Amino acid sequence: MHFVKTELRAAAIAAALTASLGLAAAPAEAKVDGDTIILGSAISLTGKYSTNGIHAQNGYELGVKMINDNGGVTVGGKSYKFKVVYYDDESTPARGAQLAERLINQDGVKYMLGPYSSGLTKAIAPVTEKYKIPMVEAEGASRSLFTQGYRYLFAVLSTSEQYLASSIALAAEIAEQNGKKASDVKVAMAFENDPFSLDVRAGVVEDAAKYDMKIVIDDKLPRDLSDMTSTLTKVKALKPDLLVVSGHSKGAATAGRQISELKISTPMIAMTHCEAAKVVEKYGADAMEGLLCPTQWAETLSYKDDLFGTAAEYDALFKKTFEGYKTVPYQSAQATAAVMVWKDAFERANSFDTEALRDAIADTNMTTFYGGIKFSPEGNNIAKPMVLRQIQDGEYKVVAPVKWASSKARHPRQPKY
Amino acid sequence: MLDNISILFQAPIFAVDLLVQGLLIGGIFVLAAYGLALVWGVMNVKNLAQGDMVILGGYVAYQCTLWGMHPIIALPIAFMLLFALGWGIYATIIRRVVDRDMFTSLLATFGLSLLIQQALNLRFGPEVKIAESGFGTLDFGDLTIPAIRFVGLGLAAVLAVGLVLFMRNSRMGQAIRATAQDPRAARVLGINTDRVYAFTYALNAAICGAAGVLVAMIWNIQPFYGIVHSIRAFIIVTAAGLGNLPGVVVAGFGLGVWENYSGFIFGAEFAVAAVVIVLVLVLMVRLFQMYRVRQVVR
Amino acid sequence: MSPRKLDLSIYGALIAAGILVPLLAPAFTSQMAVLWLMVLMAVTWDMTGGQMGYNSLGNITFFGIGMYASAVVQIGLVYDVAEYTSAFGAIKVDFTEDQYWTGLFLGIGFGGVMATIFAMIVGPFMLGLRGPYFAIGTLGLAVAVAEMVSGWRYVGGGSGISMPVFPGAAGTGSLVFYILLFALAILSHLVVRAVLKTRFGLAINAIRDDEDKAEAMGIHTTRYKVIAWMIPAFFMGMAGAVFGNMSGFIEPLEVAFPTATFGIFMVAMALLGGKGTIWGPVLGAILFHIIKEVTWTHLLGWQWVALGAIIIINIVYFQQGILGWAQDRWPALFGLTVDERMTRTGQAEAAE
């Protein structure tokens, strides 16, 4: 019996050691490996954000491919190629924070690309900040990311409070045109209970307060609720002038369906992620007529650069490279823009030093197919507006801001249910 | 909260609206809960994968619409496919947990639920999908109710009646009921209880599949939505008490109505919490009933 | 070797591994910290699940309560919590080093205490439920608390709370949290083991074997059950507080109350290693974590499928777990004295 006991003890020790050392197999990669510059990103490849996570990954990949195919990145007279190390964060913030450490410590990554969603970015930013690793992110829009005094965080996209704020301005404008006061406008809000949507909500609340509008409904949608009948019943009862909805693609899918089924007659409805949820394809152009959808980027905008050409050319290239896209999500476009920021920064800094690179990124002032990129001292992009599109006869038409508008906003909405 | 209640009093039409909508969706809750009551009552298996089977049925409908079929046609298809799948799951997994303690079945079916979710996620991705019926909306003055909800309730009712008749009259139905009452005696009388169990589990999966088709037509589906349906089924069965079919029906409709009213009154953010709290309350009530019984025994 | 000596040598090995790993492979500290968290979860779950026969699916509630309680204390020491959360993290918290450390340790203690109090309040109700009703009831409790917290504006609701940033140099943060979780894991195991050696341990085993008889013999079953649930609650609460700080950003559904992941994993881990054994949950947690990390690295997208399959296979084909199997095989090794004759008749009866 004796040998069994020792064996058991040996097994226990072995188990403990495997636990500790078995994981230590992967060698740390260098930040620059031969002629390759390694970027790192924790991204949602599985879990609830994986659709958009993969959109973002495709965006990164297209950016990397185009840069590598067109001469790469020139640092110190030598041409380098980009390569991105990805880890799957399973769409959970806790995992994201661990992965950021893993990328930095185990894989030796010194240059980061962002994850998908504000929640994940909130989890990762303190880590990269701590290690003084610059991160250019493209998918975390929450305003609170840029009030923490982060020095190493840069975002190419517009912050989330701008998503629906323009719809409030539009509602006020229209009310005044119709001889009413802006303060008479009644607003109904339905926002998903998650960091991103609540941030969008904060922007709406702030702007509504500016015009002294009355908020009559303030519902928060649970994350896996596929039925918002009770909220929409309230909308029918209280007859607001403006309904704003936000809840990633699934919120938009639910809202789109039930707005049409319950024949909601609110004259103005604005919601995020219409394109991602493919509401027109799903519920028909007639029912979705007049919905206002904010977007970070649209292929119809007249931005351009030397690498990709115009926004429309990027759109065509993306569709050619990746199968199954009818419209290119802005999530992909901004991810590509983040890679372009890195290239630009490497070439201007002419160095691999993270501090020099940080300063170079902070000084970024470039135009891309995605729009202008110039960072405020807080790190958010201030050179690009959020645009508001309206679904008009099944097409997404830019209606605000006026500078980019391709057609006039139709008010009130005239859907045919 | 109070102003929300006052809306209901000032404009009672909306109270009616919520009631009708709640009753209409309640019918679908009843289906999934009935299936759960069946496996729980007959084989003492707590099927945590209940909701995931519902969602699986929904994806069958979605797939059928991709092939250009009307989702209603998917109803019998999903019913049969999930019947077969349920039989397969029984043969590989459930057979081995039927005689074990009840926690075992709970965990094994949890593992199953993980498998189904992830398989769906790998196949269809995490985006929400729908199976559009194109039936439009019915208007009754201020009431606007999607026609599909009526159709769904009707189909659920047809299915339920069919099930009741089946259980009452068919040979297999009688065998199931006999096994539920006393498996040992049933075995003595020559009933192949293993087959009865397999059939029961498969039937439950089939019912869930059919309910899922309705869910995909009425709301939308996503690989991870199953858990909510599982919780609902558990609440209904627990509230009704085992072997109480009319109770399942009443509790199912009650839950549908309660979801709508609580979402309206407390705000949508508390709708799920309101439902789950009902579950905990129901369990507490059962507990106190049990205490009372024990006191009497003393 | 006596069981006691065996236990001591396993402790020695674990502690040695716990100290050596951050020294030898500093890059792995955060993964190892999670490993110790998993060990703690499995060990404390087994206290009620394995030893008392009350299979909770809701122990994760204590984890989340501890996490939120500590967050409130840590921020509340310096700022107004409601103001902080309503700004969605737009206020930058600036802690001096002293404030941070006081906050952290007060927070961990408070997290443990709040979770224990919560267990004491809901315990008498939940533990009155038997068998699967207890499992479902606790699962419901976890979901309900998570939803309530998501709707509670004071703690930020669904938008979560950004935790104070660790003040030390880069890399030391994860080391500190590693040490805390490691110490908590070992401590929880020592406590659970010590408790099980007392009369109290025998009482809860009696409750597992036959609750009505235990009550008839004069054991205050409810009191024992609630106390036995408060011990895991205390450790889970403290672990939650540490993990919240380690994550840096907490929110209700994914980080604080992950019912469908950690909440179920702890059960799976205890079952894998062997439910109701002293070392089973530890072994199960270590194996499970390794499997999880390896499948996650090499089977991207399939890791969850693999986990689901493991849970099913474990439950269906190998229910007594690794050490449970070993214990049946070599009972003497586990300090059990078995009357061979009785066991054989017992097994024969059971087989019938």
Side-chain angles (χ1 to χ4, degrees):
Chain A
M1 246 358 223
H2 178 75
F3 72 95
V4 178
K5 287 174 208 163
T6 25
E7 219 170 48
L8 197 70
R9 182 171 58 157
I13 295 169
L17 287 181
T18 346
S20 46
L21 303 176
L23 298 172
E29 274 177 82
K31 56 180 178 173
V32 181
D33 189 11
D35 64 344
T36 311
I37 300 173
I38 310 239
L39 304 172
S41 174
I43 196 99
S44 308
L45 301 177
T46 60
K48 61 178 176 165
Y49 293 141
S50 60
T51 311
N52 285 326
I54 289 165
H55 289 336
Q57 192 190 24
N58 287 343
Y60 287 148
E61 283 302 301
L62 185 61
V64 167
K65 182 171 169 286
M66 278 300 276
I67 289 169
N68 289 350
D69 289 354
N70 289 287
V73 188
T74 318
V75 182
K78 185 171 174 236
S79 164
Y80 291 85
K81 300 224 176 308
F82 273 143
K83 180 178 168 247
V84 189
V85 179
Y86 298 101
Y87 281 121
D88 170 30
D89 59 33
E90 298 173 345
S91 310
T92 59
R95 188 92 202 173
Q98 283 172 44
L99 288 179
E101 290 222 2
R102 177 171 174 158
L103 280 166
I104 296 167
N105 281 333
Q106 279 165 246
D107 299 328
V109 167
K110 293 267 182 280
Y111 323 110
M112 293 277 281
L113 289 165
Y116 178 77
S117 89
S118 298
L120 267 306
T121 313
K122 275 189 187 179
I124 289 177
V127 180
T128 49
E129 192 67 19
K130 176 66 72 188
Y131 286 95
K132 300 193 179 357
I133 299 289
M135 173 159 79
V136 181
E137 60 107 347
E139 316 286 343
S142 175
R143 185 173 32 167
S144 58
L145 285 165
F146 311 104
T147 49
Q148 304 283 315
Y150 290 144
R151 282 190 76 236
Y152 297 87
L153 176 75
F154 300 94
V156 298
L157 75 179
S158 307
T159 47
S160 51
E161 85 282 358
Q162 301 171 34
Y163 272 67
L164 288 171
S166 47
S167 67
I168 296 282
L170 192 63
E173 200 180 296
I174 287 170
E176 271 157 14
Q177 277 169 15
N178 297 346
K180 291 205 300 191
K181 280 195 298 242
S183 58
D184 290 340
V185 175
K186 285 188 288 184
V187 185
M189 309 192 297
F191 287 101
E192 188 186 342
N193 204 356
D194 87 323
F196 165 75
S197 300
L198 290 180
D199 226 60
V200 176
R201 176 183 169 277
V204 171
V205 170
E206 222 167 78
D207 275 41
K210 217 185 306 171
Y211 292 105
D212 207 17
M213 290 176 182
K214 187 161 184 271
I215 291 169
V216 289
I217 298 173
D218 181 9
D219 267 14
K220 299 191 192 68
L221 309 172
R223 263 176 240 195
D224 42 12
L225 191 86
S226 48
D227 188 2
M228 50 187 288
T229 315
S230 56
T231 304
L232 291 177
T233 307
K234 236 183 277 182
V235 169
K236 281 200 277 182
L238 295 168
K239 297 192 174 50
D241 303 296
L242 167 64
L243 168 65
V244 283
V245 182
S246 169
H248 294 279
S249 347
K250 57 187 178 187
T254 306
R257 170 171 217 158
Q258 299 197 327
I259 283 169
S260 100
E261 278 185 348
L262 299 176
K263 301 191 174 178
I264 299 301
S265 57
T266 311
M268 189 169 168
I269 300 180
M271 66 185 195
T272 63
H273 294 83
C274 310
E275 306 91 338
K278 306 199 173 79
V279 290
V280 174
E281 290 90 328
K282 276 192 179 120
Y283 312 115
D286 288 346
M288 295 296 110
E289 170 69 26
L291 279 191
L292 293 165
C293 311
T295 184
Q296 293 275 1
W297 173 81
E299 69 279 5
T300 54
L301 296 175
S302 56
Y303 306 128
K304 61 191 269 192
D305 61 46
D306 296 337
L307 189 61
F308 286 98
T310 62
E313 279 164 7
Y314 175 83
D315 185 75
L317 177 68
F318 191 92
K319 283 178 191 160
K320 211 176 77 191
T321 316
F322 299 101
E323 274 173 38
Y325 283 98
K326 274 203 197 99
T327 41
V328 175
Y330 65 76
Q331 285 85 357
S332 300
Q334 58 206 27
T336 304
V339 181
M340 294 173 72
V341 168
W342 266 121
K343 170 185 151 69
D344 180 61
F346 270 113
E347 293 186 338
R348 275 186 295 110
N350 208 12
S351 150
F352 295 113
D353 179 52
T354 49
E355 281 304 314
L357 279 165
R358 191 220 83 91
D359 294 340
I361 298 172
D363 291 338
T364 301
N365 189 357
M366 60 195 285
T367 350
T368 66
F369 74 93
Y370 173 70
I373 297 176
K374 183 175 166 48
F375 298 112
S376 73
E378 290 77 34
N380 56 322
N381 184 2
I382 43 173
K384 179 192 83 68
M386 198 75 201
V387 292
L388 197 60
R389 294 197 284 186
Q390 187 172 40
I391 301 179
Q392 297 183 347
D393 309 316
E395 300 280 321
Y396 289 94
K397 296 278 171 60
V398 178
V399 293
V402 184
K403 187 183 168 203
W404 305 103
S406 62
S407 56
K408 226 172 117 30
R410 294 183 186 166
H411 186 88
R413 218 163 56 87
Q414 274 160 342
K416 286 189 283 293
Y417 293 128
Chain B
M1 192 175 113
L2 284 176
D3 42 338
N4 287 333
I5 297 174
S6 75
I7 299 171
L8 292 181
F9 282 106
Q10 281 159 14
I13 182 75
F14 294 110
V16 177
D17 195 346
L18 289 172
L19 183 72
V20 173
Q21 302 270 15
L23 289 176
L24 288 174
I25 56 171
I28 291 153
F29 298 170
V30 171
L31 271 188
Y34 179 75
L36 181 68
L38 202 64
V39 288
W40 193 330
V42 176
M43 21 196 327
N44 211 0
V45 165
K46 317 281 169 295
N47 191 28
L48 257 188
Q50 197 77 357
D52 301 284
M53 289 176 171
V54 171
I55 298 299
L56 195 57
Y59 275 100
V60 173
Y62 170 71
Q63 187 64 51
C64 285
T65 57
L66 287 189
W67 287 330
M69 282 183 250
H70 192 274
I72 292 256
I73 305 171
L75 199 84
I77 299 176
F79 192 87
M80 284 183 287
L81 274 181
L82 270 107
F83 189 89
L85 181 76
W87 200 291
I89 292 174
Y90 176 82
T92 48
I93 300 171
I94 307 296
R95 171 181 283 150
R96 291 176 173 77
V97 299
V98 167
D99 306 325
R100 306 263 196 82
D101 70 286
M102 295 172 265
F103 188 66
T104 308
S105 66
L106 209 60
L107 259 186
T109 51
F110 172 79
L112 187 63
S113 118
L114 257 187
L115 268 184
I116 297 178
Q117 280 172 20
Q118 297 302 330
L120 287 175
N121 188 22
L122 287 171
R123 171 70 185 75
F124 294 100
E127 269 183 281
V128 291
K129 305 281 189 221
I130 53 161
E132 189 60 56
S133 65
F135 286 156
T137 306
L138 301 177
D139 292 290
F140 308 92
D142 268 354
L143 285 186
T144 42
I145 292 167
I148 182 63
R149 296 200 171 194
F150 284 108
V151 176
L153 183 66
L155 288 173
V158 169
L159 208 57
V161 169
L163 277 171
V164 170
L165 290 178
F166 171 80
M167 291 303 263
R168 193 165 294 167
N169 300 325
S170 75
R171 199 78 192 128
M172 190 43 125
Q174 286 167 347
I176 290 176
R177 284 187 295 142
T179 312
Q181 281 173 0
D182 190 337
R184 217 161 153 173
R187 236 168 287 152
V188 170
L189 290 172
I191 292 174
N192 181 351
T193 49
D194 190 50
R195 237 187 119 233
V196 167
Y197 286 156
F199 188 89
T200 310
Y201 196 81
L203 185 62
N204 167 45
I207 297 170
C208 286
V213 174
L214 300 178
V215 167
M217 287 193 288
I218 292 179
W219 300 300
N220 42 38
I221 46 170
Q222 201 244 0
F224 307 104
Y225 278 175
I227 180 91
V228 191
H229 292 283
S230 294
I231 291 180
R232 283 190 189 119
F234 273 94
I235 295 175
I236 294 167
V237 175
T238 323
L242 271 184
N244 178 0
L245 185 55
V248 168
V249 175
V250 173
F253 285 115
L255 190 71
V257 174
W258 168 244
E259 268 192 22
N260 270 314
Y261 273 99
S262 59
F264 190 94
I265 293 171
F266 306 118
E269 65 264 42
F270 291 112
V272 178
V275 167
V276 182
I277 286 170
V278 168
L279 168 71
V280 177
L281 286 180
V282 164
L283 287 170
M284 291 301 124
V285 170
R286 296 241 159 252
L287 176 67
F288 286 122
Q289 281 172 345
M290 207 174 70
Y291 273 143
R292 221 179 299 146
V293 172
R294 282 172 72 191
Q295 238 121 44
V296 172
V297 173
R298 261 175 215 165
Chain C
M1 187 165 31
S2 71
R4 191 167 166 276
K5 264 175 97 181
L6 178 70
D7 281 6
L8 280 180
S9 44
I10 298 178
Y11 278 127
L14 282 180
I15 291 172
I19 293 170
L20 283 177
V21 168
L23 294 177
L24 295 179
F28 288 89
T29 33
S30 57
Q31 275 145 296
M32 282 293 289
V34 178
L35 171 69
W36 291 116
L37 175 68
M38 302 277 238
V39 169
L40 182 144
M41 284 180 166
V43 166
T44 55
W45 180 86
D46 197 54
M47 172 107 193
T48 47
Q51 303 288 352
M52 200 169 70
Y54 272 76
N55 299 299
S56 162
L57 291 180
N59 274 13
I60 201 71
T61 322
F62 307 132
F63 185 73
I65 287 177
M67 193 181 286
Y68 267 94
S70 89
V72 168
V73 167
Q74 283 173 264
I75 292 157
L77 275 182
V78 187
Y79 293 88
D80 181 53
V81 179
E83 204 180 294
Y84 179 79
T85 51
S86 68
F88 298 109
I91 298 178
K92 181 176 168 17
V93 267
D94 238 336
F95 286 94
T96 63
E97 206 142 317
D98 281 348
Q99 281 172 332
Y100 182 83
W101 289 107
T102 348
L104 181 64
F105 285 102
L106 273 180
I108 293 173
F110 191 67
V113 170
M114 283 308 284
T116 316
I117 293 175
F118 183 75
M120 195 167 76
I121 295 169
V122 299
F125 300 102
M126 298 311 288
L127 289 157
L129 303 166
R130 299 261 180 108
Y133 291 103
F134 178 73
I136 296 166
T138 46
L139 180 64
L141 183 74
V143 175
V145 172
E147 290 291 338
M148 300 295 277
V149 172
S150 328
W152 190 16
R153 219 161 288 175
Y154 179 73
V155 295
S159 60
I161 305 180
S162 298
M163 299 295 287
V165 178
F166 185 81
T172 52
S174 54
L175 192 63
V176 168
F177 298 127
Y178 171 85
I179 294 169
L180 286 170
L181 286 173
F182 168 59
L184 280 177
I186 298 288
L187 185 67
S188 69
H189 193 273
L190 282 169
V191 168
V192 168
R193 180 172 168 276
V195 166
L196 291 177
K197 294 240 178 268
T198 61
R199 210 181 146 269
F200 184 86
L202 290 176
I204 63 171
N205 281 346
I207 291 173
R208 172 187 63 191
D209 296 339
D210 191 326
E211 185 165 347
D212 291 330
K213 277 191 196 124
E215 197 172 333
M217 288 168 76
I219 296 174
H220 292 282
T221 48
T222 308
R223 194 184 304 162
Y224 276 80
K225 285 190 290 186
V226 173
I227 293 173
W229 210 27
M230 283 161 66
I231 296 170
F234 182 64
F235 284 105
M236 286 295 285
M238 292 201 290
V242 178
F243 191 68
N245 279 287
M246 197 175 134
S247 294
F249 167 71
I250 67 175
E251 53 88 65
L253 299 187
E254 305 284 346
V255 184
F257 301 95
T259 325
T261 54
F262 281 149
I264 305 282
F265 287 167
M266 61 176 106
V267 187
M269 292 184 295
L271 286 171
L272 178 65
K275 185 176 155 182
T277 59
I278 295 274
W279 291 105
V282 179
L283 180 63
I286 292 172
L287 284 179
F288 191 88
H289 189 64
I290 293 176
I291 296 171
K292 188 171 180 303
E293 288 294 312
V294 170
T295 54
W296 171 84
T297 315
H298 298 289
L299 288 173
L300 190 60
W302 288 86
Q303 74 263 37
W304 291 97
V305 178
L307 280 187
I310 288 167
I311 293 176
I312 295 178
I313 292 167
N314 180 204
I315 304 288
V316 174
Y317 299 97
F318 196 57
Q319 208 197 5
Q320 76 268 64
I322 297 162
L323 287 193
W325 170 78
Q327 184 169 315
D328 285 354
R329 190 85 179 68
W330 304 289
L333 205 61
F334 293 83
L336 301 177
T337 38
V338 182
D339 186 331
E340 291 284 334
R341 203 162 34 88
M342 282 299 289
T343 326
R344 234 170 282 135
T345 38
Q347 276 166 355
E349 266 169 29
E352 268 180 45

